[in-house]
Amino acid sequence: RTKVRSFAHRQFGVMSSKNNEWSADVASQGNNAAENEKYALSRRPSFPRTEDWDSLLKCFHTLSVKDVFKSIGSNVNGITDETAADRMEQFGSNELKGGKKVNPVLLFLQHLFSYLLLLLMVAMVFSIISQEYIEAGVIGFIVLFNATVGFLQEYKSEQTLAALKSLSASFSTVRRGGEILEINSRDIVPGDIIILEEGDIVPADLRLIETSSLEINEATLTGEAAPVHKVIEERINAEEALGDRANMAYSGCVVTRGRGEGVVVATGQRTELGKIAQKVSKKGSKATRMQIELRKLAISLFIVGMLLGVLVLGVHSFVVDKEVSMYAISLGVAAIPESLMAVLTLAMAMGVKRMAKCGAVVRKLTALESLSSTTDICSDKTGTLTQAKMVVANGFACGLGAFAVQGTGWHPVGEVKFSVRNGCTEENGTINKGKFERELLSSELLRSVESSTGMNSSAIHQLVLCSTLCNSATVTSASSAEGTKAVGDPTEIALECFAQKLGFTRNSVKGTVLMTVEFPFDSVVKKMTRVYKNEYSGKHVAYLKGALEAVLEASSFYLNCNNEVTEITEEYRQILFSEMNKMAGRGLRVMAFAYRNMDDFNEDITRDDVDNHMILIGLLGIYDPPRDEAKESVEQSRSAGINVRMVTGDHPATAAAIAQDISILSSGEDPHAGTMVGHELDRMSKSQLDDLLVLPRVVSRCSPDTKVNLIHALHRRGKVVVMTGDGVNDAPALKSADIGVAMGQGGSDVTKEAADIVLSDDNISTIVKAIKEGRRISDNIQKFIVHLLTGNVAQVIALIVGLSMRDRYNEAVFPMSPLQILWLNMITISPPALSLAVEKAEADIMERPPRKKGESLFTKDIILDIFVYGVLGGALTLASFVIAIGFVNPVQLQNESYTPANLSAPYWENNSVQDLAFHDYLGIYCNQRCTLPTEEACEEM
């Protein structure tokens, strides 16, 4: 702290001369203190200097609010507009840069100067030199076509991400110069006072100066699912981790409860969110197996094409004329599968469109190919394997027994089904919305506050009342689950939905009861209390919820099966803990509820005065239910040879229970056998991890470093890993994985930037569909590569053998011109290749193991097929060439030039010349422009 203060004093000292001028200027304004303060803030120089800001950022949580205000030149009324303008110029706008933007020119040049197209450009240059402008024009068109197709698809994929950015708040409430304003979040600068309300996204890093029951979900930054209770502690140790800095609020985090105010201490890239973004943007992308192999193929074909050109020159003793250069161009063009990149890009693009319809946005085309080799999916639990909507699943009502709550997600439709009722003889029953409302009305529950036991309706009624009245969340019902909207703490949303399933909301009691006192949830005492006044009787009722231990400590009674208040015995305490353990063992978060009528209410009442002699009414078990399709997706992955692993920050029991529900762990399997806590994995060395027979399938209490360590351990075992993530803290893990998958709905901007694929529906089933699509594309790529390269091999063989054929001038002839070769490759061969690229997946594609890591795209069978069919094609080409020439009869052309278009039977009628050499016919067939001798000259020969 001494160092921090010294640093601040040094900063003030640096500007001492300016501050002296400032002080004198302020003194000259007169004796009005308020006006002087306002004028002082508007005239004070910007502070601290930009180059010293990073050092000060590390210290704000260690300073008092007063020292923070001094350090950044602000106060509770905020800075003025003039100062804000100066600081905008000094610090820049409050937005993440997100790495370098895609330069369309450089991206196009990258596609243009690929190895496959370079050889075609060389051929184009030689065609121009040889004055074969038609061939040059066609080659140039093909070069531009291939480069444009690849450029457009990749550029479109990069631009798609912009539509998914949803983390940053659009507008924020600030106080500037004492006025409360609504401004664009990008215009926030250090020194602004930000006003936070429930549901807001924190727009910048703040040092809190005022809080009221403020809780912030920092999962995007720390990975911790539980909201953090915030305070305005004067100082916190400098060594404390981000999640323990209770007097700070960080950019990108969500306010789940309460309200607060804070002074902006960091914006844009200087926020904790921005620091992670910078780290991610520095890491380069990984080349996939297909990229590497196609790059090698392109280099090899480029070298082969050049060597074939040299071969043609060598056969002609390096005497280069028009005919020799054209032959060299033909052989070089024949070695290049011109349509390969276009067909490959189009095949990938069509795969991307199919994936988009399924709920995935593929940022990098090659990610689909990488998915074909996937061996492990490391998935977050919340939102991917589960619905990300906390619901009440089970409960225990005192006097009535255990019950299950039916329904889906936040949709307020469902029933309460009781099992055996504890200590009662009534038959098992079901309570639905209609029945509950009838019983509620008949008991006149809301108006019967007349005595200490005036509200002793059944415990289920009291449980519903406590769930909704001791609650800050708001749930707006709709006709469907998708349309229901909720704001607030996830746990409280679950409780409000439970009450609404039985037809009760806080709106039901408007004008009947009024909240008079609230003691917000405190992480120390682990409970929350509200006191309501009945507007008809004037009596007060207190409602309490919290951890069972805390609620039991405040309770002396419970409701029995006859709705009578009974003293809690040790035996009954054991029953309650037994019910709690049953629910906790299934991964549920258990909360207890109690109430009491207050005859001793007064305006100065304290929490200790309220929280005693309570009547316990029951327990509720809350959890995030699995997605309906999660279990099927896990089983389908297993049949495809893919292991699904859960990596989560949740409690080990919760993680294990969900894992068993969706078959990551077998139902009869010991949960401890396949699970591990994050800190246990972090403590293990590389050798210890490598010595494990199998790596854990469930890792709970997982930190960002734990995820990276798990990925590296899988890589050392030769695995190809898909990692999912949504929070900013997941970005390094997504970069470390072979395929990073970000959540489109709940994911942060930084995570989306780091990902290869973004899921618009945050669903694991979409990942499985992507793997299937990747396998289909990989299979089809092999098919059309065999098809294309077979044609190239056939052409090269025909042209190389053609070198041995000579005309009467002892010059080599070529069976095909460059234009004919391009026609074959682009028009004749490409459409069938495109058809192969869009073939449907094989029926057993998800029943076979993934491709081995590092397995070549060109297997022995593939290479053998290419050469066998290529040699056969080349032989048939030469055979058809020789046969055609054998049936051609030359005609006297009287020194006229001729081309293949002149070769027609009528043209050669009545020609008796039989003495021309056989290779002259080859020259005619091969589009060589030459002059035929006269008939007299032929007779002389």
Side-chain angles (χ1 to χ4, degrees):
R1 291 174 184 165
T2 302
K3 291 181 179 178
V4 172
R5 291 175 181 274
S6 299
F7 174 79
H9 288 313
R10 287 200 306 273
Q11 296 308 305
F12 279 113
V14 168
M15 304 180 68
S16 58
S17 60
K18 290 185 179 180
N19 285 338
N20 290 336
E21 297 173 8
W22 167 75
S23 300
D25 189 16
V26 172
S28 67
Q29 299 302 308
N31 297 322
N32 189 309
E35 291 296 326
N36 278 359
E37 181 181 7
K38 185 174 181 181
Y39 184 78
L41 285 175
S42 67
R43 298 291 295 166
R44 184 166 189 152
S46 293
F47 179 80
R49 297 176 304 175
T50 306
E51 58 268 23
D52 297 315
W53 192 260
D54 291 337
S55 299
L56 193 56
L57 282 177
K58 302 174 183 177
C59 311
F60 283 121
H61 63 284
T62 68
L63 300 176
S64 66
V65 173
K66 182 179 179 181
D67 289 339
V68 171
F69 278 138
K70 283 184 179 179
S71 299
I72 60 177
S74 184
N75 66 10
V76 293
N77 291 319
I79 57 177
T80 63
D81 290 336
E82 293 80 3
T83 304
D86 292 340
R87 295 189 178 183
M88 175 64 74
E89 184 177 351
Q90 181 182 6
F91 296 106
S93 59
N94 178 37
E95 55 187 352
L96 300 181
K97 300 299 184 281
K100 296 181 180 178
K101 293 183 178 180
V102 177
N103 187 319
V105 176
L106 293 179
L107 185 62
F108 178 77
L109 292 177
Q110 179 183 341
H111 283 275
L112 182 63
F113 291 101
S114 64
Y115 285 101
L116 287 178
L117 298 185
L118 276 177
L119 188 55
L120 289 179
M121 284 190 276
V122 171
M124 182 179 68
V125 171
F126 274 100
S127 297
I128 294 173
I129 294 172
S130 302
Q131 298 182 345
E132 294 291 341
Y133 299 116
I134 296 178
E135 281 85 351
V138 173
I139 294 173
F141 171 77
I142 291 171
V143 168
L144 289 175
F145 174 76
N146 278 277
T148 303
V149 169
F151 159 75
L152 289 177
Q153 187 57 46
E154 186 168 344
Y155 186 71
K156 183 180 178 181
S157 298
E158 289 294 336
Q159 295 303 307
T160 302
L161 183 67
L164 295 170
K165 292 187 175 180
S166 59
L167 180 65
S168 300
S170 298
F171 291 90
S172 300
T173 305
V174 304
R175 186 183 294 118
R176 279 187 180 174
E179 295 183 11
I180 296 178
L181 306 171
E182 197 78 20
I183 67 171
N184 194 310
S185 295
R186 68 185 304 275
D187 296 329
I188 291 172
V189 296
D192 274 327
I193 303 299
I194 305 297
I195 300 173
L196 299 174
E197 300 286 349
E198 191 171 293
D200 288 350
I201 298 176
V202 182
D205 285 2
L206 313 177
R207 171 59 164 92
L208 295 172
I209 61 174
E210 180 182 320
T211 63
S212 175
S213 305
L214 182 63
E215 290 187 4
I216 297 178
N217 189 327
E218 298 179 344
T220 57
L221 198 62
T222 65
E224 181 59 45
V228 179
H229 183 65
K230 294 296 183 178
V231 296
I232 52 172
E233 255 181 67
E234 283 298 294
R235 295 182 177 89
I236 293 178
N237 291 334
E239 297 80 14
E240 294 290 350
L242 291 180
D244 296 324
R245 298 176 185 177
N247 59 9
M248 299 287 293
Y250 293 104
S251 176
C253 299
V254 181
V255 178
T256 59
R257 187 204 297 269
R259 63 174 302 278
E261 294 185 9
V263 57
V264 176
V265 296
T267 59
Q269 297 293 91
R270 291 184 174 84
T271 63
E272 295 298 330
L273 189 72
K275 292 175 184 177
I276 297 177
Q278 292 181 62
K279 292 179 182 178
V280 172
S281 64
K282 292 177 182 177
K283 296 185 178 182
S285 58
K286 307 171 288 295
T288 65
R289 173 177 54 85
M290 182 182 294
Q291 282 180 312
I292 295 170
E293 293 193 10
L294 289 179
R295 191 179 299 135
K296 290 179 179 178
L297 174 65
I299 295 172
S300 302
L301 291 177
F302 180 81
I303 295 172
V304 168
M306 298 301 291
L307 290 177
L308 290 174
V310 173
L311 175 64
V312 172
L313 298 180
V315 170
H316 291 81
S317 302
F318 293 95
V319 177
V320 182
D321 57 17
K322 182 177 179 180
E323 304 300 333
V324 172
S325 64
M326 288 302 295
Y327 205 127
I329 292 171
S330 297
L331 204 48
V333 170
I336 299 297
E338 289 83 6
S339 61
L340 174 59
M341 297 311 298
V343 174
L344 179 63
T345 303
L346 290 173
M348 291 285 195
M350 285 184 279
V352 168
K353 289 182 179 179
R354 279 190 294 269
M355 287 310 305
K357 292 179 181 178
C358 296
V361 175
V362 180
R363 294 190 61 232
K364 300 173 185 175
L365 291 176
T366 51
L368 285 179
E369 176 265 331
S370 300
L371 285 168
S372 66
S373 300
T374 299
T375 60
D376 290 79
I377 300 174
C378 295
S379 175
D380 192 14
K381 178 184 74 69
T382 305
T384 309
L385 296 171
T386 63
Q387 298 177 19
K389 295 180 178 179
M390 301 291 284
V391 296
V392 175
N394 294 91
F396 177 82
C398 295
L400 296 177
F403 59 86
V405 181
Q406 298 181 336
T408 303
W410 290 345
H411 194 35
V413 175
E415 297 177 339
V416 172
K417 286 187 174 292
F418 280 91
S419 56
V420 178
R421 299 193 179 188
N422 187 30
C424 298
T425 58
E426 290 93 336
E427 297 178 358
N428 297 345
T430 298
I431 297 178
N432 56 31
K433 181 176 180 179
K435 181 179 179 181
F436 182 84
E437 288 177 335
R438 288 193 300 272
E439 293 183 9
L440 187 65
L441 290 172
S442 65
S443 66
E444 297 184 354
L445 183 62
L446 300 176
R447 304 188 183 188
S448 58
V449 187
E450 298 174 355
S451 66
S452 60
T453 59
M455 294 189 72
N456 295 341
S457 182
S458 68
I460 190 69
H461 289 94
Q462 292 291 354
L463 202 53
V464 170
L465 281 171
C466 191
S467 296
T468 188
L469 295 180
C470 193
N471 196 325
S472 302
T474 302
V475 178
T476 304
S477 303
S479 58
S480 64
E482 292 75 15
T484 301
K485 296 181 180 180
V487 178
D489 180 82
T491 301
E492 293 198 331
I493 291 173
L495 298 176
E496 179 65 18
C497 288
F498 166 67
Q500 289 192 16
K501 285 179 180 179
L502 293 178
F504 191 87
T505 66
R506 281 192 297 279
N507 291 331
S508 307
V509 294
K510 275 188 176 180
T512 304
V513 295
L514 177 69
M515 186 181 73
T516 55
V517 176
E518 178 183 23
F519 299 105
F521 180 83
D522 190 319
S523 58
V524 177
V525 297
K526 298 181 180 180
K527 57 186 177 180
M528 170 185 178
T529 307
R530 277 186 175 182
V531 179
Y532 283 85
K533 177 183 178 182
N534 188 297
E535 294 286 82
Y536 291 93
S537 65
K539 299 291 184 69
H540 291 79
V541 182
Y543 289 98
L544 168 68
K545 72 176 181 186
L548 178 58
E549 296 87 346
V551 175
L552 269 177
E553 186 178 346
S555 301
S556 302
F557 311 97
Y558 74 96
L559 284 179
N560 64 19
C561 61
N562 296 316
N563 299 333
E564 298 172 345
V565 176
T566 306
E567 188 174 352
I568 296 175
T569 63
E570 184 60 32
E571 181 182 0
Y572 198 75
R573 289 173 65 91
Q574 296 304 316
I575 292 175
L576 292 171
F577 278 106
S578 174
E579 293 294 335
M580 183 195 74
N581 292 332
K582 287 178 183 178
M583 286 188 273
R586 295 195 296 270
L588 275 61
R589 179 184 180 186
V590 183
M591 298 191 71
F593 300 82
Y595 82 99
R596 79 176 176 95
N597 299 310
M598 297 188 62
D599 295 328
D600 55 348
F601 179 81
N602 62 75
E603 296 295 335
D604 299 325
I605 201 165
T606 65
R607 170 167 248 160
D608 291 337
D609 295 332
V610 176
D611 294 349
N612 61 79
H613 301 298
M614 287 281 187
I615 304 169
L616 189 70
I617 49 182
L619 310 173
L620 289 178
I622 304 167
Y623 85 133
D624 183 9
R627 288 181 176 270
D628 295 335
E629 59 274 24
K631 184 174 182 179
E632 181 183 353
S633 298
V634 171
E635 292 174 347
Q636 188 177 7
S637 298
R638 185 177 292 116
S639 66
I642 301 169
N643 293 315
V644 179
R645 303 177 190 274
M646 180 192 294
V647 286
T648 177
D650 281 337
H651 190 276
T654 303
I658 296 293
Q660 287 184 331
D661 285 346
I662 60 177
S663 297
I664 291 179
L665 296 175
S666 302
S667 57
E669 182 180 357
D670 180 8
H672 299 289
T675 64
M676 184 178 289
V677 182
H679 65 79
E680 295 175 354
L681 190 144
D682 291 335
R683 284 201 300 261
M684 299 178 73
S685 63
K686 291 182 180 180
S687 58
Q688 288 175 323
L689 279 172
D690 295 341
D691 289 340
L692 292 176
L693 186 61
V694 290
L695 290 173
R697 280 168 287 162
V698 177
V699 182
S700 57
R701 294 302 188 200
C702 201
S703 69
D705 289 338
T706 308
K707 296 179 181 180
V708 175
N709 291 338
L710 179 61
I711 291 170
H712 290 165
L714 288 167
H715 281 165
R716 290 194 298 272
R717 296 177 181 231
K719 305 296 185 181
V720 177
V721 184
V722 172
M723 170 61 76
T724 72
D726 51 6
V728 175
N729 61 314
D730 292 326
L734 264 60
K735 276 289 185 181
S736 300
D738 298 278
I739 306 103
V741 179
M743 303 298 108
Q745 295 179 353
S748 66
D749 288 348
V750 176
T751 312
K752 294 170 188 174
E753 288 283 356
D756 302 301
I757 297 175
V758 179
L759 303 183
S760 61
D761 57 0
D762 295 6
N763 198 329
I764 189 173
S765 65
T766 307
I767 300 175
V768 178
K769 292 175 185 176
I771 291 174
K772 181 178 180 180
E773 184 66 23
R775 291 187 176 190
R776 186 194 68 82
I777 287 179
S778 187
D779 287 351
N780 290 347
I781 285 173
Q782 281 193 326
K783 294 175 185 177
F784 70 69
I785 282 180
V786 170
H787 173 74
L788 292 174
L789 293 185
T790 295
N792 290 110
V793 171
Q795 294 165 18
V796 169
I797 288 175
L799 289 172
I800 290 178
V801 175
L803 283 173
S804 63
M805 298 181 182
R806 301 282 173 161
D807 60 15
R808 62 193 179 90
Y809 301 107
N810 198 33
E811 291 184 357
V813 297
F814 49 99
M816 292 172 285
S817 69
L819 196 57
Q820 289 171 322
I821 293 170
L822 291 172
W823 177 272
L824 283 172
N825 288 350
M826 296 300 296
I827 307 300
T828 307
I829 297 177
S830 295
L834 195 56
S835 299
L836 289 172
V838 296
E839 271 198 345
K840 293 183 178 180
E842 303 291 340
D844 64 341
I845 196 167
M846 292 300 286
E847 296 176 5
R848 64 190 191 210
R851 292 182 182 275
K852 293 181 181 178
K853 186 176 182 179
E855 181 183 43
S856 175
L857 190 65
F858 300 96
T859 62
K860 292 180 180 179
D861 291 339
I862 296 295
I863 294 172
L864 185 62
D865 285 347
I866 290 173
F867 278 98
V868 169
Y869 295 134
V871 170
L872 181 60
L876 292 174
T877 301
L878 286 171
S880 63
F881 175 64
V882 172
I883 291 171
I885 292 302
F887 286 98
V888 172
N889 293 317
V891 71
Q892 179 182 1
L893 291 180
Q894 298 299 331
N895 296 324
E896 293 181 3
S897 298
Y898 60 90
T899 67
N902 302 123
L903 297 178
S904 60
Y907 193 88
W908 297 100
E909 288 179 358
N910 302 319
N911 191 342
S912 60
V913 179
Q914 303 294 332
D915 298 333
L916 280 176
F918 177 68
H919 291 99
D920 281 339
Y921 304 141
L922 298 182
I924 294 171
Y925 187 82
C926 295
N927 194 24
Q928 293 189 72
R929 291 180 175 272
C930 57
T931 302
L932 285 180
T934 63
E935 186 174 351
E936 292 78 7
C938 290
E939 290 176 351
E940 290 179 4
M941 289 192 297

